[in-house]
Amino acid sequence: DTGVSQNPRHKITKRGQNVTFRCDPISEHNRLYWYRQTLGQGPEFLTYFQNEAQLEKSRLLSDRFSAERPKGSFSTLEIQRTEQGDSAMYLCARTGTGNTGELFFGEGSRLTVL
Amino acid sequence: GESVGLHLPTLSVQEGDNSIINCAYSNSASDYFIWYKQESGKGPQFIIDIRSNMDKRQGQRVTVLLNKTVKHLSLQIAATQPGDSAVYFCAENDGGFKTIFGAGTRLFVKA
């Protein structure tokens, strides 16, 4: 158990619909990251939070994507007007309580856009 | 997670042999390197890390080697077991808060 829970695990939607993924880390006292992973690729950084502050966003995160971390605990990633190219695994990760750079990943939310 | 790695570089080893997975990184400013293991349907899992002031670090059955001159990282797995079958990613960090992942290598362990 990595202490990161993600849901839904799978989401199938039609192009143009909005989807939201949720990430619940075990502790609010750490950084929280979102990554995207497509078939045959390594995870690509999307954004991260320190508490409730979103400190960095990748240029991969177009204006159709928005992430929040209200109260510095759970986080949501919303994709508006989904496109087929958004189909991917969306991974959430937290840092540990120590000062290491290790990331603890959830099992991901797989999005399929038809 | 999911069925990653259909087009990834592949390494096939016999059970009990040692495995060596290689990785080239591009950012000379990176000072922290990590190896992750990803099994089907799961997120990446931390294996071992190394800082740029070291050239070797050992864990349980795993060793990471860092050659900063040629910007090369390797992961050695001793006495490879079927449970080691997975996709392995190297990742780098330049001292900031963003970890960048490489493309990965799929390891097959033959019984």
Side-chain angles (χ1 to χ4, degrees):
Chain A
D1 184 7
T2 62
V4 179
S5 177
Q6 291 189 247
N7 66 83
R9 292 292 315 279
H10 303 276
K11 178 70 176 179
I12 300 173
T13 191
K14 293 182 179 179
R15 187 177 54 185
Q17 298 296 304
N18 299 343
V19 297
T20 299
F21 301 116
R22 178 175 170 128
C23 173
D24 285 89
I26 191 171
S27 170
E28 63 187 45
H29 301 295
N30 45 43
R31 295 190 298 276
L32 184 147
Y33 293 76
W34 285 99
Y35 282 80
R36 181 177 71 183
Q37 186 173 32
T38 53
L39 200 64
Q41 301 295 320
E44 299 172 292
F45 171 83
L46 291 179
T47 189
Y48 87 94
F49 293 83
Q50 177 71 56
N51 300 318
E52 68 272 14
Q54 187 175 16
L55 297 184
E56 186 169 347
K57 294 168 59 174
S58 164
R59 60 179 180 275
L60 294 175
L61 218 63
S62 75
D63 56 7
R64 296 185 298 105
F65 288 71
S66 62
E68 295 182 341
R69 194 183 184 194
K71 304 178 183 178
S73 55
F74 72 92
S75 177
T76 58
L77 177 68
E78 181 183 16
I79 308 174
Q80 296 182 325
R81 305 182 302 282
T82 52
E83 301 173 355
Q84 288 185 326
D86 297 331
S87 296
M89 179 71 79
Y90 291 85
L91 294 162
C92 177
R94 66 172 179 91
T95 51
T97 53
N99 198 27
T100 66
E102 179 181 354
L103 294 177
F104 297 85
F105 283 87
E107 295 191 330
S109 293
R110 182 196 299 203
L111 173 65
T112 301
V113 182
L114 302 176
Chain B
E2 61 173 303
S3 301
V4 297
L6 289 183
H7 304 289
L8 291 174
T10 298
L11 175 66
S12 185
V13 300
Q14 196 69 38
E15 180 180 0
D17 287 351
N18 297 334
S19 303
I20 300 176
I21 300 173
N22 297 303
C23 174
Y25 65 94
S26 57
N27 186 359
S28 56
S30 292
D31 65 357
Y32 176 61
F33 304 88
I34 319 100
W35 281 99
Y36 285 87
K37 172 186 180 183
Q38 187 172 28
E39 297 174 287
S40 182
K42 297 184 177 181
Q45 178 185 6
F46 172 90
I47 302 174
I48 191 167
D49 59 3
I50 188 168
R51 298 220 172 255
S52 59
N53 60 352
M54 303 173 67
D55 53 21
K56 180 179 180 179
R57 190 165 187 221
Q58 288 184 293
Q60 187 177 16
R61 283 202 307 118
V62 294
T63 300
V64 55
L65 298 178
L66 174 63
N67 185 330
K68 295 180 290 294
T69 302
V70 295
K71 291 190 282 188
H72 183 268
L73 195 67
S74 69
L75 176 71
Q76 300 178 359
I77 304 173
T80 314
Q81 302 169 359
D84 295 326
S85 293
V87 178
Y88 289 82
F89 294 99
C90 65
E92 60 186 296
N93 186 296
D94 64 0
F97 295 123
K98 186 168 62 178
T99 297
I100 304 299
F101 285 76
T105 297
R106 175 176 288 282
L107 175 65
F108 284 108
V109 181
K110 297 176 289 186

